Amino acid sequence: MTKLLITGGAGFIGSNFIYYQLKHHPQDRLICLDQLTYAGNIQTLRAAMKQPQFRFVKGDIAQRETVFSLFAEEKPDIVIHFAAESHVDRSIADPGIFLRTNVLGTQVLMDACLRYGVLRFHQVSTDEVYGDLPLERTDLSFVETTPLCPSSPYSASKAAADLLVGAYGRTYGLKTTISRCSNNYGPYQFPEKLIPLMITKALSNEPLPVYGTGKNVRDWLHVEDHCAAIDLIIRHGKPGEIYNVGGKQEVSNLDVVKTILQLLQKPESLISFVADRPGHDLRYAINPAKMENMFGWQPQISFSDGLRQTIAWYLEHQQWLDHIVSNRYRAENDAVPKA
Ligand SMILES: NC(=O)c1ccc[n+]([C@@H]2O[C@H](COP(=O)([O-])OP(=O)(O)OC[C@H]3O[C@@H](n4cnc5c(N)ncnc54)[C@H](O)[C@@H]3O)[C@@H](O)[C@H]2O)c1
């Protein structure tokens, strides 16, 4: 039995990763540490909480005493670090919390890993640390050695954390890996991010806000493919290595929005162009050749299938969505006692 400590597991990718682990490695013990910020949702983990090998702990990764006492009690083998402030627009409005959680929180976790002899610390990072690519240079993509050049306070905080992870490996000998992935989509994504936001707006016949011209291109990765990649890295990846994980499905934001409207049989007149985001990255494209060569990993879900499945999921889980849109989920989160 391996003990995995998963931070940020009440958020989008972390919760999908927990369900992936319960399905593929039911013998392992899973401990989720999550502060249940506005981006976390305890309802998402209700099914996991019925499983005997799963434990949820409400706590802040940047609080040393909370983290150290949990590590002392559980002695995890592997830490998979998802917890973060993750929304670019919020980082432009208020960068401070991004530095606290994303940089200092990562430091606290790695200090605990060193103290309690954790065998592997895995940092879940983003392609946004590389900055962006010109729209017209479709021949270019990010590789693991592309220099870091973040554009937003969010991506700068993730880049800073990545550098700290590398330094903890080199200086203290902590066994670390980093994965940098492109834009994820799929079930349980908070409806402030592009795809669930547009689905939510379209369902209620509200205007769909598109930044600038909508020509910005993202490389879409289904969250299930991302979880499979992380699972391979934590079990077979080499300490000190960085792995790029991308979906090889580049689509402009405007085309994403138009496809959602088409699939929901809503008119394009709902699209409303709004002032562009400051510093808005033009294009992201990940080259995942290292993942393919090292592990034979390939994204399995095409964007057109994945988007259909995702829309179907949100239609089937309207209660989950309503709970968030109406803000009722905050009361449920607040009712969970702190560690
Ligand atoms: N969503 C994407 O497309 C994407 C793409 C690339 C990388 N990433 C990275 O993947 C990770 C997970 O992203 P996500 O989209 O699931 O994020 P999310 O915003 O949906 O979830 C973040 C989770 O972290 C928790 N959290 C925040 N601050 C905390 C703290 N101080 N202590 C404990 N828990 C805290 C929140 O409660 C929430 O449950 C992040 O590190 C993000 O940078 C995400």
Side-chain angles (χ1 to χ4, degrees):
M1 178 201 67
T2 309
K3 262 195 196 182
L4 309 185
L5 190 140
I6 296 154
T7 71
F12 164 47
I13 308 175
S15 59
N16 277 281
F17 184 76
I18 286 167
Y19 287 114
Y20 185 95
Q21 292 300 315
L22 287 170
K23 182 169 167 198
H24 295 276
H25 303 283
Q27 73 288 357
D28 287 346
R29 177 163 163 77
L30 310 179
I31 304 116
C32 170
L33 173 63
D34 194 299
Q35 195 185 2
L36 296 178
T37 67
Y38 83 93
N41 184 350
I42 196 65
Q43 209 185 57
T44 300
L45 292 177
R46 289 286 176 220
M49 282 161 112
K50 293 191 184 129
Q51 305 301 315
Q53 70 273 47
F54 178 78
R55 176 184 176 197
F56 180 80
V57 178
K58 181 175 173 178
D60 179 359
I61 56 161
Q63 258 186 5
R64 200 161 274 267
E65 309 79 70
T66 310
V67 171
F68 275 56
S69 73
L70 180 62
F71 275 61
E73 185 190 348
E74 289 286 358
K75 306 244 168 33
D77 300 303
I78 304 176
V79 173
I80 305 104
H81 179 32
F82 294 93
E85 289 291 336
S86 71
H87 192 46
V88 174
D89 290 344
R90 287 177 190 259
S91 81
I92 294 169
D94 180 14
I97 182 76
F98 283 71
L99 298 183
R100 182 185 180 275
T101 298
N102 299 0
V103 185
L104 299 179
T106 304
Q107 182 215 347
V108 170
L109 288 168
M110 291 193 294
D111 285 344
C113 288
L114 288 170
R115 168 79 68 87
Y116 294 101
V118 169
L119 303 173
R120 173 68 61 88
F121 176 83
H122 181 72
Q123 159 83 348
V124 180
S125 188
T126 167
D127 60 359
E128 297 188 39
V129 297
Y130 298 122
D132 66 351
L133 296 163
L135 283 178
E136 63 284 0
R137 291 292 309 273
T138 48
D139 56 314
L140 296 179
S141 57
F142 300 130
V143 291
E144 287 78 0
T145 50
T146 300
L148 303 189
C149 188
S151 315
S152 70
Y154 160 66
S155 50
S157 69
K158 293 295 289 187
D162 286 11
L163 293 174
L164 197 62
V165 171
Y168 267 60
R170 172 96 186 244
T171 305
Y172 304 114
L174 182 64
K175 302 265 188 289
T176 65
T177 40
I178 298 176
S179 53
R180 295 186 177 138
C181 67
S182 53
N183 281 51
N184 282 224
Y185 69 103
Y188 298 119
Q189 188 168 27
F190 193 80
E192 67 181 349
K193 301 284 169 68
L194 185 76
I195 289 179
L197 177 71
M198 297 302 159
I199 296 172
T200 311
K201 298 271 183 203
L203 287 175
S204 51
N205 297 310
E206 285 176 50
L208 276 61
V210 173
Y211 280 133
T213 58
K215 291 211 171 107
N216 308 57
V217 168
R218 300 295 180 254
D219 171 6
W220 291 98
L221 171 69
H222 194 277
V223 67
E224 186 82 5
D225 282 327
H226 186 196
C227 292
I230 296 175
D231 188 50
L232 286 166
I233 296 167
I234 60 169
R235 291 168 197 276
H236 308 291
K238 229 172 101 197
E241 293 290 319
I242 297 170
Y243 300 91
N244 279 355
V245 185
K248 296 205 275 194
Q249 309 270 323
E250 288 185 48
V251 190
S252 75
N253 289 348
L254 188 56
D255 284 343
V256 170
V257 173
K258 283 184 176 170
T259 312
I260 290 172
L261 287 170
Q262 200 186 9
L263 291 170
L264 286 172
Q265 297 177 333
K266 300 282 181 175
E268 284 191 9
S269 56
L270 283 174
I271 295 174
S272 159
F273 291 97
V274 298
D276 209 355
R277 166 192 279 169
H280 202 177
D281 283 338
L282 292 171
R283 173 173 165 257
Y284 304 131
I286 277 270
N287 179 341
K290 184 169 170 181
M291 280 300 297
E292 294 171 352
N293 297 336
M294 300 294 294
F295 305 118
W297 175 89
Q298 288 273 352
Q300 301 296 311
I301 305 173
S302 71
F303 187 63
S304 60
D305 286 351
L307 189 58
R308 266 172 218 282
Q309 287 168 22
T310 302
I311 290 176
W313 187 90
Y314 280 95
L315 288 172
E316 281 158 23
H317 293 78
Q318 291 214 27
Q319 195 236 351
W320 182 89
L321 204 54
D322 289 347
H323 214 58
I324 295 178
V325 175
S326 66
N327 234 11
R328 285 197 306 276
Y329 80 109
R330 294 304 291 264
E332 215 177 305
N333 281 352
D334 290 346
V336 179
K338 275 198 192 121

PDB file of all heavy atoms in Angstrom, residues 8 10-14 34-37 39-40 59-61 82-84 86 101 124-126 154 158 181-184 189 193, ligand 1:
ATOM      1  N   GLY A   8      -5.116  20.174  -2.484  1.00  0.00           N
ATOM      2  CA  GLY A   8      -6.029  20.798  -3.450  1.00  0.00           C
ATOM      3  C   GLY A   8      -6.989  19.820  -4.087  1.00  0.00           C
ATOM      4  O   GLY A   8      -7.502  20.064  -5.190  1.00  0.00           O
ATOM      5  N   ALA A  10     -10.024  19.147  -3.413  1.00  0.00           N
ATOM      6  CA  ALA A  10     -11.441  19.535  -3.536  1.00  0.00           C
ATOM      7  C   ALA A  10     -11.649  20.462  -4.726  1.00  0.00           C
ATOM      8  O   ALA A  10     -12.753  20.952  -4.963  1.00  0.00           O
ATOM      9  CB  ALA A  10     -11.920  20.211  -2.250  1.00  0.00           C
ATOM     10  N   GLY A  11     -10.569  20.724  -5.471  1.00  0.00           N
ATOM     11  CA  GLY A  11     -10.670  21.537  -6.684  1.00  0.00           C
ATOM     12  C   GLY A  11     -10.882  20.653  -7.907  1.00  0.00           C
ATOM     13  O   GLY A  11     -11.145  19.446  -7.783  1.00  0.00           O
ATOM     14  N   PHE A  12     -10.726  21.246  -9.046  1.00  0.00           N
ATOM     15  CA  PHE A  12     -11.063  20.572 -10.314  1.00  0.00           C
ATOM     16  C   PHE A  12     -10.152  19.369 -10.612  1.00  0.00           C
ATOM     17  O   PHE A  12     -10.605  18.218 -10.618  1.00  0.00           O
ATOM     18  CB  PHE A  12     -11.006  21.631 -11.427  1.00  0.00           C
ATOM     19  CG  PHE A  12     -10.951  21.105 -12.820  1.00  0.00           C
ATOM     20  CD1 PHE A  12     -11.811  20.100 -13.249  1.00  0.00           C
ATOM     21  CD2 PHE A  12     -10.051  21.648 -13.738  1.00  0.00           C
ATOM     22  CE1 PHE A  12     -11.765  19.627 -14.556  1.00  0.00           C
ATOM     23  CE2 PHE A  12     -10.008  21.187 -15.044  1.00  0.00           C
ATOM     24  CZ  PHE A  12     -10.853  20.173 -15.452  1.00  0.00           C
ATOM     25  N   ILE A  13      -8.866  19.622 -10.821  1.00  0.00           N
ATOM     26  CA  ILE A  13      -8.001  18.521 -11.275  1.00  0.00           C
ATOM     27  C   ILE A  13      -7.714  17.554 -10.115  1.00  0.00           C
ATOM     28  O   ILE A  13      -7.721  16.327 -10.296  1.00  0.00           O
ATOM     29  CB  ILE A  13      -6.679  19.053 -11.882  1.00  0.00           C
ATOM     30  CG1 ILE A  13      -6.970  20.111 -12.952  1.00  0.00           C
ATOM     31  CG2 ILE A  13      -5.879  17.908 -12.488  1.00  0.00           C
ATOM     32  CD1 ILE A  13      -5.730  20.773 -13.529  1.00  0.00           C
ATOM     33  N   GLY A  14      -7.521  18.118  -8.921  1.00  0.00           N
ATOM     34  CA  GLY A  14      -7.231  17.269  -7.763  1.00  0.00           C
ATOM     35  C   GLY A  14      -8.342  16.269  -7.486  1.00  0.00           C
ATOM     36  O   GLY A  14      -8.085  15.102  -7.178  1.00  0.00           O
ATOM     37  N   ASP A  34      -6.936  20.158   1.907  1.00  0.00           N
ATOM     38  CA  ASP A  34      -7.497  21.265   1.107  1.00  0.00           C
ATOM     39  C   ASP A  34      -8.127  22.274   2.065  1.00  0.00           C
ATOM     40  O   ASP A  34      -8.835  21.898   3.003  1.00  0.00           O
ATOM     41  CB  ASP A  34      -8.551  20.726   0.136  1.00  0.00           C
ATOM     42  CG  ASP A  34      -8.916  21.733  -0.942  1.00  0.00           C
ATOM     43  OD1 ASP A  34      -9.410  22.828  -0.605  1.00  0.00           O
ATOM     44  OD2 ASP A  34      -8.721  21.413  -2.140  1.00  0.00           O
ATOM     45  N   GLN A  35      -7.893  23.538   1.787  1.00  0.00           N
ATOM     46  CA  GLN A  35      -8.417  24.582   2.668  1.00  0.00           C
ATOM     47  C   GLN A  35      -9.882  24.909   2.391  1.00  0.00           C
ATOM     48  O   GLN A  35     -10.503  25.639   3.148  1.00  0.00           O
ATOM     49  CB  GLN A  35      -7.573  25.853   2.491  1.00  0.00           C
ATOM     50  CG  GLN A  35      -7.774  26.860   3.591  1.00  0.00           C
ATOM     51  CD  GLN A  35      -7.037  28.161   3.334  1.00  0.00           C
ATOM     52  OE1 GLN A  35      -6.387  28.347   2.320  1.00  0.00           O
ATOM     53  NE2 GLN A  35      -7.141  29.072   4.266  1.00  0.00           N
ATOM     54  N   LEU A  36     -10.413  24.395   1.295  1.00  0.00           N
ATOM     55  CA  LEU A  36     -11.783  24.730   0.857  1.00  0.00           C
ATOM     56  C   LEU A  36     -11.928  26.244   0.706  1.00  0.00           C
ATOM     57  O   LEU A  36     -12.751  26.878   1.369  1.00  0.00           O
ATOM     58  CB  LEU A  36     -12.844  24.158   1.809  1.00  0.00           C
ATOM     59  CG  LEU A  36     -12.909  22.638   1.895  1.00  0.00           C
ATOM     60  CD1 LEU A  36     -13.963  22.190   2.912  1.00  0.00           C
ATOM     61  CD2 LEU A  36     -13.198  22.003   0.535  1.00  0.00           C
ATOM     62  N   THR A  37     -11.101  26.805  -0.155  1.00  0.00           N
ATOM     63  CA  THR A  37     -11.260  28.211  -0.538  1.00  0.00           C
ATOM     64  C   THR A  37     -12.492  28.288  -1.450  1.00  0.00           C
ATOM     65  O   THR A  37     -13.153  27.263  -1.695  1.00  0.00           O
ATOM     66  CB  THR A  37     -10.037  28.708  -1.330  1.00  0.00           C
ATOM     67  OG1 THR A  37     -10.014  28.028  -2.590  1.00  0.00           O
ATOM     68  CG2 THR A  37      -8.736  28.467  -0.571  1.00  0.00           C
ATOM     69  N   ALA A  39     -12.577  28.099  -4.426  1.00  0.00           N
ATOM     70  CA  ALA A  39     -12.407  27.188  -5.572  1.00  0.00           C
ATOM     71  C   ALA A  39     -12.587  25.717  -5.188  1.00  0.00           C
ATOM     72  O   ALA A  39     -12.677  24.854  -6.068  1.00  0.00           O
ATOM     73  CB  ALA A  39     -11.027  27.380  -6.194  1.00  0.00           C
ATOM     74  N   GLY A  40     -12.647  25.434  -3.891  1.00  0.00           N
ATOM     75  CA  GLY A  40     -12.829  24.054  -3.448  1.00  0.00           C
ATOM     76  C   GLY A  40     -14.298  23.791  -3.173  1.00  0.00           C
ATOM     77  O   GLY A  40     -15.068  24.706  -2.885  1.00  0.00           O
ATOM     78  N   GLY A  59      -7.438  22.146   5.670  1.00  0.00           N
ATOM     79  CA  GLY A  59      -6.297  22.887   6.218  1.00  0.00           C
ATOM     80  C   GLY A  59      -5.549  23.626   5.136  1.00  0.00           C
ATOM     81  O   GLY A  59      -5.661  23.320   3.942  1.00  0.00           O
ATOM     82  N   ASP A  60      -4.757  24.594   5.596  1.00  0.00           N
ATOM     83  CA  ASP A  60      -4.028  25.508   4.713  1.00  0.00           C
ATOM     84  C   ASP A  60      -2.600  24.997   4.508  1.00  0.00           C
ATOM     85  O   ASP A  60      -1.875  24.797   5.494  1.00  0.00           O
ATOM     86  CB  ASP A  60      -4.039  26.879   5.426  1.00  0.00           C
ATOM     87  CG  ASP A  60      -3.300  27.957   4.669  1.00  0.00           C
ATOM     88  OD1 ASP A  60      -2.746  27.678   3.593  1.00  0.00           O
ATOM     89  OD2 ASP A  60      -3.295  29.103   5.172  1.00  0.00           O
ATOM     90  N   ILE A  61      -2.200  24.836   3.262  1.00  0.00           N
ATOM     91  CA  ILE A  61      -0.840  24.323   2.989  1.00  0.00           C
ATOM     92  C   ILE A  61       0.249  25.294   3.452  1.00  0.00           C
ATOM     93  O   ILE A  61       1.388  24.896   3.635  1.00  0.00           O
ATOM     94  CB  ILE A  61      -0.610  24.009   1.488  1.00  0.00           C
ATOM     95  CG1 ILE A  61      -0.905  25.243   0.616  1.00  0.00           C
ATOM     96  CG2 ILE A  61      -1.402  22.804   1.037  1.00  0.00           C
ATOM     97  CD1 ILE A  61      -0.284  25.185  -0.767  1.00  0.00           C
ATOM     98  N   PHE A  82      -1.460  19.824  -5.904  1.00  0.00           N
ATOM     99  CA  PHE A  82      -2.355  20.550  -6.814  1.00  0.00           C
ATOM    100  C   PHE A  82      -2.777  21.902  -6.231  1.00  0.00           C
ATOM    101  O   PHE A  82      -3.187  22.779  -6.978  1.00  0.00           O
ATOM    102  CB  PHE A  82      -3.653  19.751  -7.042  1.00  0.00           C
ATOM    103  CG  PHE A  82      -3.507  18.458  -7.766  1.00  0.00           C
ATOM    104  CD1 PHE A  82      -3.329  17.268  -7.074  1.00  0.00           C
ATOM    105  CD2 PHE A  82      -3.580  18.399  -9.153  1.00  0.00           C
ATOM    106  CE1 PHE A  82      -3.218  16.055  -7.732  1.00  0.00           C
ATOM    107  CE2 PHE A  82      -3.468  17.196  -9.822  1.00  0.00           C
ATOM    108  CZ  PHE A  82      -3.298  16.018  -9.112  1.00  0.00           C
ATOM    109  N   ALA A  83      -2.780  22.029  -4.894  1.00  0.00           N
ATOM    110  CA  ALA A  83      -3.405  23.210  -4.276  1.00  0.00           C
ATOM    111  C   ALA A  83      -2.750  24.482  -4.787  1.00  0.00           C
ATOM    112  O   ALA A  83      -1.526  24.599  -4.810  1.00  0.00           O
ATOM    113  CB  ALA A  83      -3.270  23.141  -2.755  1.00  0.00           C
ATOM    114  N   ALA A  84      -3.576  25.413  -5.209  1.00  0.00           N
ATOM    115  CA  ALA A  84      -3.056  26.681  -5.721  1.00  0.00           C
ATOM    116  C   ALA A  84      -4.199  27.664  -5.849  1.00  0.00           C
ATOM    117  O   ALA A  84      -5.373  27.280  -5.901  1.00  0.00           O
ATOM    118  CB  ALA A  84      -2.418  26.468  -7.101  1.00  0.00           C
ATOM    119  N   SER A  86      -5.561  29.641  -8.727  1.00  0.00           N
ATOM    120  CA  SER A  86      -5.334  29.227 -10.121  1.00  0.00           C
ATOM    121  C   SER A  86      -5.996  30.112 -11.172  1.00  0.00           C
ATOM    122  O   SER A  86      -5.932  29.790 -12.354  1.00  0.00           O
ATOM    123  CB  SER A  86      -5.816  27.784 -10.290  1.00  0.00           C
ATOM    124  OG  SER A  86      -7.233  27.727 -10.230  1.00  0.00           O
ATOM    125  N   THR A 101       0.056  31.347  -1.309  1.00  0.00           N
ATOM    126  CA  THR A 101      -0.337  29.938  -1.488  1.00  0.00           C
ATOM    127  C   THR A 101       0.625  29.209  -2.426  1.00  0.00           C
ATOM    128  O   THR A 101       1.127  28.132  -2.098  1.00  0.00           O
ATOM    129  CB  THR A 101      -1.767  29.861  -2.062  1.00  0.00           C
ATOM    130  OG1 THR A 101      -2.654  30.453  -1.121  1.00  0.00           O
ATOM    131  CG2 THR A 101      -2.180  28.425  -2.336  1.00  0.00           C
ATOM    132  N   VAL A 124       2.401  19.998  -9.508  1.00  0.00           N
ATOM    133  CA  VAL A 124       1.545  20.118 -10.695  1.00  0.00           C
ATOM    134  C   VAL A 124       1.627  21.567 -11.164  1.00  0.00           C
ATOM    135  O   VAL A 124       1.150  22.476 -10.489  1.00  0.00           O
ATOM    136  CB  VAL A 124       0.086  19.723 -10.370  1.00  0.00           C
ATOM    137  CG1 VAL A 124      -0.782  19.858 -11.613  1.00  0.00           C
ATOM    138  CG2 VAL A 124       0.031  18.304  -9.820  1.00  0.00           C
ATOM    139  N   SER A 125       2.261  21.768 -12.299  1.00  0.00           N
ATOM    140  CA  SER A 125       2.459  23.133 -12.780  1.00  0.00           C
ATOM    141  C   SER A 125       1.737  23.344 -14.117  1.00  0.00           C
ATOM    142  O   SER A 125       0.875  22.545 -14.495  1.00  0.00           O
ATOM    143  CB  SER A 125       3.956  23.429 -12.874  1.00  0.00           C
ATOM    144  OG  SER A 125       4.154  24.791 -13.158  1.00  0.00           O
ATOM    145  N   THR A 126       2.097  24.415 -14.780  1.00  0.00           N
ATOM    146  CA  THR A 126       1.316  24.846 -15.941  1.00  0.00           C
ATOM    147  C   THR A 126       2.211  25.275 -17.097  1.00  0.00           C
ATOM    148  O   THR A 126       3.330  25.763 -16.867  1.00  0.00           O
ATOM    149  CB  THR A 126       0.400  26.031 -15.533  1.00  0.00           C
ATOM    150  OG1 THR A 126      -0.132  26.634 -16.698  1.00  0.00           O
ATOM    151  CG2 THR A 126       1.160  27.111 -14.765  1.00  0.00           C
ATOM    152  N   TYR A 154      -0.269  35.120 -11.663  1.00  0.00           N
ATOM    153  CA  TYR A 154      -0.506  33.682 -11.450  1.00  0.00           C
ATOM    154  C   TYR A 154       0.651  32.852 -12.006  1.00  0.00           C
ATOM    155  O   TYR A 154       1.256  32.047 -11.289  1.00  0.00           O
ATOM    156  CB  TYR A 154      -1.830  33.251 -12.111  1.00  0.00           C
ATOM    157  CG  TYR A 154      -1.921  31.758 -12.351  1.00  0.00           C
ATOM    158  CD1 TYR A 154      -1.968  30.866 -11.281  1.00  0.00           C
ATOM    159  CD2 TYR A 154      -1.932  31.223 -13.647  1.00  0.00           C
ATOM    160  CE1 TYR A 154      -2.027  29.483 -11.493  1.00  0.00           C
ATOM    161  CE2 TYR A 154      -1.994  29.856 -13.871  1.00  0.00           C
ATOM    162  CZ  TYR A 154      -2.035  28.991 -12.793  1.00  0.00           C
ATOM    163  OH  TYR A 154      -2.081  27.638 -13.006  1.00  0.00           O
ATOM    164  N   LYS A 158       3.589  30.449 -10.171  1.00  0.00           N
ATOM    165  CA  LYS A 158       3.820  29.022 -10.464  1.00  0.00           C
ATOM    166  C   LYS A 158       5.274  28.817 -10.909  1.00  0.00           C
ATOM    167  O   LYS A 158       5.912  27.829 -10.540  1.00  0.00           O
ATOM    168  CB  LYS A 158       2.856  28.526 -11.561  1.00  0.00           C
ATOM    169  CG  LYS A 158       1.395  28.492 -11.174  1.00  0.00           C
ATOM    170  CD  LYS A 158       1.055  27.506 -10.065  1.00  0.00           C
ATOM    171  CE  LYS A 158       1.137  26.068 -10.498  1.00  0.00           C
ATOM    172  NZ  LYS A 158       0.632  25.146  -9.433  1.00  0.00           N
ATOM    173  N   CYS A 181       1.254  21.318 -17.618  1.00  0.00           N
ATOM    174  CA  CYS A 181       0.209  20.891 -18.548  1.00  0.00           C
ATOM    175  C   CYS A 181      -0.475  22.086 -19.190  1.00  0.00           C
ATOM    176  O   CYS A 181      -0.378  23.216 -18.712  1.00  0.00           O
ATOM    177  CB  CYS A 181      -0.827  20.056 -17.806  1.00  0.00           C
ATOM    178  SG  CYS A 181      -1.731  21.023 -16.623  1.00  0.00           S
ATOM    179  N   SER A 182      -1.169  21.799 -20.269  1.00  0.00           N
ATOM    180  CA  SER A 182      -1.947  22.834 -20.958  1.00  0.00           C
ATOM    181  C   SER A 182      -3.329  22.943 -20.299  1.00  0.00           C
ATOM    182  O   SER A 182      -3.589  22.315 -19.276  1.00  0.00           O
ATOM    183  CB  SER A 182      -2.034  22.481 -22.443  1.00  0.00           C
ATOM    184  OG  SER A 182      -2.520  21.168 -22.596  1.00  0.00           O
ATOM    185  N   ASN A 183      -4.211  23.716 -20.920  1.00  0.00           N
ATOM    186  CA  ASN A 183      -5.537  23.971 -20.327  1.00  0.00           C
ATOM    187  C   ASN A 183      -6.340  22.682 -20.188  1.00  0.00           C
ATOM    188  O   ASN A 183      -6.574  21.991 -21.185  1.00  0.00           O
ATOM    189  CB  ASN A 183      -6.338  24.924 -21.212  1.00  0.00           C
ATOM    190  CG  ASN A 183      -5.901  26.354 -21.022  1.00  0.00           C
ATOM    191  OD1 ASN A 183      -4.714  26.661 -21.100  1.00  0.00           O
ATOM    192  ND2 ASN A 183      -6.848  27.231 -20.772  1.00  0.00           N
ATOM    193  N   ASN A 184      -6.779  22.414 -18.975  1.00  0.00           N
ATOM    194  CA  ASN A 184      -7.605  21.219 -18.723  1.00  0.00           C
ATOM    195  C   ASN A 184      -9.082  21.555 -18.844  1.00  0.00           C
ATOM    196  O   ASN A 184      -9.489  22.686 -18.592  1.00  0.00           O
ATOM    197  CB  ASN A 184      -7.396  20.740 -17.291  1.00  0.00           C
ATOM    198  CG  ASN A 184      -6.116  19.962 -17.066  1.00  0.00           C
ATOM    199  OD1 ASN A 184      -6.117  18.948 -16.400  1.00  0.00           O
ATOM    200  ND2 ASN A 184      -4.996  20.423 -17.619  1.00  0.00           N
ATOM    201  N   GLN A 189     -15.152  21.226 -12.969  1.00  0.00           N
ATOM    202  CA  GLN A 189     -14.366  22.469 -13.084  1.00  0.00           C
ATOM    203  C   GLN A 189     -15.203  23.653 -12.628  1.00  0.00           C
ATOM    204  O   GLN A 189     -16.365  23.804 -13.032  1.00  0.00           O
ATOM    205  CB  GLN A 189     -13.867  22.685 -14.514  1.00  0.00           C
ATOM    206  CG  GLN A 189     -12.884  23.850 -14.606  1.00  0.00           C
ATOM    207  CD  GLN A 189     -12.142  23.908 -15.935  1.00  0.00           C
ATOM    208  OE1 GLN A 189     -12.646  23.444 -16.947  1.00  0.00           O
ATOM    209  NE2 GLN A 189     -10.948  24.473 -15.926  1.00  0.00           N
ATOM    210  N   LYS A 193     -13.931  29.315 -15.074  1.00  0.00           N
ATOM    211  CA  LYS A 193     -12.994  29.012 -16.146  1.00  0.00           C
ATOM    212  C   LYS A 193     -13.762  28.886 -17.462  1.00  0.00           C
ATOM    213  O   LYS A 193     -14.965  28.592 -17.460  1.00  0.00           O
ATOM    214  CB  LYS A 193     -12.232  27.717 -15.843  1.00  0.00           C
ATOM    215  CG  LYS A 193     -11.440  27.756 -14.530  1.00  0.00           C
ATOM    216  CD  LYS A 193     -10.156  28.577 -14.637  1.00  0.00           C
ATOM    217  CE  LYS A 193      -9.491  28.853 -13.303  1.00  0.00           C
ATOM    218  NZ  LYS A 193      -8.924  27.736 -12.625  1.00  0.00           N
TER     219      LYS A 193
HETATM  220  N1  LIG B   1      -7.104  24.034 -14.601  1.00  0.00           N
HETATM  221  C1  LIG B   1      -6.167  24.064 -15.519  1.00  0.00           C
HETATM  222  O1  LIG B   1      -6.454  24.118 -16.715  1.00  0.00           O
HETATM  223  C2  LIG B   1      -4.710  23.991 -15.133  1.00  0.00           C
HETATM  224  C3  LIG B   1      -3.770  24.013 -16.144  1.00  0.00           C
HETATM  225  C4  LIG B   1      -2.423  23.920 -15.800  1.00  0.00           C
HETATM  226  C5  LIG B   1      -2.052  23.771 -14.480  1.00  0.00           C
HETATM  227  N2  LIG B   1      -2.989  23.772 -13.511  1.00  0.00           N
HETATM  228  C6  LIG B   1      -2.510  23.617 -12.121  1.00  0.00           C
HETATM  229  O2  LIG B   1      -3.159  22.458 -11.588  1.00  0.00           O
HETATM  230  C7  LIG B   1      -3.426  22.641 -10.200  1.00  0.00           C
HETATM  231  C8  LIG B   1      -4.888  22.386  -9.919  1.00  0.00           C
HETATM  232  O3  LIG B   1      -5.658  23.285 -10.714  1.00  0.00           O
HETATM  233  P1  LIG B   1      -7.239  23.315 -10.624  1.00  0.00           P
HETATM  234  O4  LIG B   1      -7.737  23.900 -11.883  1.00  0.00           O
HETATM  235  O5  LIG B   1      -7.731  22.000 -10.147  1.00  0.00           O
HETATM  236  O6  LIG B   1      -7.416  24.398  -9.454  1.00  0.00           O
HETATM  237  P2  LIG B   1      -8.720  24.777  -8.642  1.00  0.00           P
HETATM  238  O7  LIG B   1      -8.666  26.266  -8.474  1.00  0.00           O
HETATM  239  O8  LIG B   1      -9.938  24.147  -9.228  1.00  0.00           O
HETATM  240  O9  LIG B   1      -8.495  24.073  -7.215  1.00  0.00           O
HETATM  241  C9  LIG B   1      -7.534  24.520  -6.309  1.00  0.00           C
HETATM  242  C10 LIG B   1      -7.781  23.808  -4.983  1.00  0.00           C
HETATM  243  O10 LIG B   1      -6.746  24.225  -4.076  1.00  0.00           O
HETATM  244  C11 LIG B   1      -7.339  24.530  -2.816  1.00  0.00           C
HETATM  245  N3  LIG B   1      -6.498  25.530  -2.141  1.00  0.00           N
HETATM  246  C12 LIG B   1      -6.265  26.803  -2.520  1.00  0.00           C
HETATM  247  N4  LIG B   1      -5.460  27.403  -1.614  1.00  0.00           N
HETATM  248  C13 LIG B   1      -5.169  26.478  -0.665  1.00  0.00           C
HETATM  249  C14 LIG B   1      -4.372  26.491   0.512  1.00  0.00           C
HETATM  250  N5  LIG B   1      -3.731  27.602   0.913  1.00  0.00           N
HETATM  251  N6  LIG B   1      -4.282  25.362   1.250  1.00  0.00           N
HETATM  252  C15 LIG B   1      -4.948  24.227   0.867  1.00  0.00           C
HETATM  253  N7  LIG B   1      -5.724  24.168  -0.232  1.00  0.00           N
HETATM  254  C16 LIG B   1      -5.830  25.278  -0.992  1.00  0.00           C
HETATM  255  C17 LIG B   1      -8.723  25.079  -3.153  1.00  0.00           C
HETATM  256  O11 LIG B   1      -9.598  24.985  -2.049  1.00  0.00           O
HETATM  257  C18 LIG B   1      -9.118  24.188  -4.322  1.00  0.00           C
HETATM  258  O12 LIG B   1      -9.774  23.024  -3.873  1.00  0.00           O
HETATM  259  C19 LIG B   1      -2.971  24.056  -9.849  1.00  0.00           C
HETATM  260  O13 LIG B   1      -1.724  23.979  -9.231  1.00  0.00           O
HETATM  261  C20 LIG B   1      -2.871  24.761 -11.192  1.00  0.00           C
HETATM  262  O14 LIG B   1      -1.873  25.745 -11.170  1.00  0.00           O
HETATM  263  C21 LIG B   1      -4.312  23.883 -13.797  1.00  0.00           C
END
